[in-house]
Amino acid sequence: MSDAIIRLQDVNKWYGQFHVLRHVNLEVAPGERIVICGPSGSGKSTMIRCINRLEEHQQGQIIVDGTELTNDLKQIETIRKDVGMVFQHFNLFPHLTVLQNLTLGPMWVLKKSRAEAEATAMKYLERVRIPDQANKFPGQLSGGQQQRVAIARSLCMHPKIMLFDEPTSALDPEMVKEVLDVMVTLAEESGMTMLCVTHEMGFARKVADRVIFMDRGEIIEQNTPDAFFDSPQNERTKLFLSQILH
Ligand SMILES: Nc1ncnc2c1ncn2[C@@H]1O[C@H](COP(=O)(O)OP(=O)(O)OP(=O)(O)O)[C@@H](O)[C@H]1O
């Protein structure tokens, strides 16, 4: 795939003696939507955190939007602008209002005026369906609303790529759907490249172009959602799916 927006080539990473990413190869096309699943501890978070340099790989190459990731600080700044991330825990600033959380990056990193940053923030709060919460503090919102603020905050930076690390797993069950609905709309309307670590298989079937299964630091199997769920090939994939789908 010559026009890949993300390319991992034989990527290896260790935490001390522990080989957490083993010879990972992955190419992601612009606009592609990928769901990553696998058992706890299989390296899913580590892999996506390497893509925005929250974690550093030790061997191999990671190329994002044509640039190989290194330790260059300027480059890391650019990567963080281009690659938005939504975490399991929302990581909002509790002492800032929703609007202030959303305007911080655009004003200080993108050097936008307050008026422009606020207009963008309101646009994305509409997109995540909570424009009426702009002046509240995160602690006054439900978990689902806070996660939608976190998604809007990433969008305000106009990223080329969005990474989601188990965005619904810290939410009460009744809040999961509202966040997934926002993500589905985002996937369908934005054309943005998305990588999402999740076990929400309904979401995967609905929006993913490709589902990737990781186990023990390796990509074991990948396929279109229908082929992946309906006829998994690898025994480890089958076992994993039998555990999460029943
Ligand atoms: N900073 C760290 N230092 C040492 N070990 C770590 C560190 N971060 C993660 N690990 C270990 O690396 C392994 C992979 O972690 P990672 O979070 O990438 O897995 P995961 O597949 O995302 O798991 P989960 O679904 O539980 O979040 C785990 O065994 C974890 O304990």
Side-chain angles (χ1 to χ4, degrees):
M1 195 191 290
S2 59
D3 62 344
I5 191 165
I6 301 170
R7 179 176 294 133
L8 277 68
Q9 285 174 337
D10 199 18
V11 169
N12 287 277
K13 176 174 175 60
W14 289 262
Y15 288 122
Q17 300 285 308
F18 180 61
H19 198 174
V20 61
L21 294 179
R22 296 165 176 262
H23 307 285
V24 172
N25 289 290
L26 176 67
E27 294 200 343
V28 181
E32 196 176 7
R33 301 174 302 218
I34 294 184
V35 161
I36 303 157
C37 62
S40 182
S42 56
K44 307 179 298 292
S45 294
T46 303
M47 181 175 80
I48 65 165
R49 290 166 71 89
C50 282
I51 293 170
N52 67 348
R53 208 66 178 172
L54 281 178
E55 295 283 354
E56 219 179 283
H57 61 291
Q58 284 123 1
Q59 274 181 10
Q61 284 185 309
I62 301 182
I63 299 159
V64 178
D65 201 21
T67 305
E68 183 181 351
L69 302 192
T70 63
N71 281 332
D72 180 271
L73 286 178
K74 267 261 164 275
Q75 184 206 62
I76 292 174
E77 246 177 58
T78 309
I79 289 293
R80 299 272 165 81
K81 269 187 250 169
D82 288 346
V83 185
M85 184 147 184
V86 173
F87 302 87
Q88 180 177 357
H89 300 286
F90 329 116
N91 299 6
L92 300 171
F93 289 111
H95 59 290
L96 298 181
T97 65
V98 165
L99 193 63
Q100 288 166 338
N101 267 283
L102 264 54
T103 53
L104 204 60
M107 284 171 66
W108 295 103
V109 181
L110 304 181
K111 310 292 181 204
K112 304 283 184 196
S113 69
R114 179 178 301 277
E116 203 180 340
E118 288 187 352
T120 306
M122 289 312 300
K123 177 175 120 184
Y124 287 114
L125 282 178
E126 303 259 358
R127 178 84 67 91
V128 300
R129 304 168 197 164
I130 40 171
D132 49 332
Q133 306 296 319
N135 295 313
K136 298 244 179 86
F137 288 92
Q140 296 173 294
L141 306 184
S142 71
Q145 289 173 324
Q146 289 188 60
Q147 192 58 302
R148 287 188 279 157
V149 172
I151 293 171
R153 176 180 55 181
S154 278
L155 295 175
C156 284
M157 299 297 284
H158 304 300
K160 293 178 180 162
I161 298 165
M162 282 284 282
L163 307 176
F164 294 86
D165 194 359
E166 304 203 32
T168 58
S169 59
L171 299 176
D172 290 335
E174 67 273 21
M175 314 242 161
V176 170
K177 185 174 179 305
E178 65 184 53
V179 171
L180 290 179
D181 284 349
V182 162
M183 290 172 59
V184 168
T185 309
L186 183 66
E188 286 172 347
E189 292 178 0
S190 71
M192 198 181 282
T193 309
M194 291 170 71
L195 273 73
C196 183
V197 176
T198 183
H199 292 160
E200 294 291 341
M201 295 304 148
F203 173 79
R205 275 207 195 255
K206 200 162 183 181
V207 306
D209 298 305
R210 183 161 34 137
V211 181
I212 289 178
F213 173 66
M214 285 187 77
D215 194 12
R216 298 177 219 160
E218 289 178 291
I219 293 179
I220 301 291
E221 183 163 354
Q222 47 185 317
N223 217 328
T224 58
D226 286 348
F228 181 84
F229 292 116
D230 298 340
S231 46
Q233 301 296 306
N234 187 284
E235 291 309 314
R236 277 144 80 181
T237 317
K238 289 180 195 169
L239 178 65
F240 173 75
L241 289 177
S242 72
Q243 286 163 345
I244 63 159
L245 296 176
H246 298 111

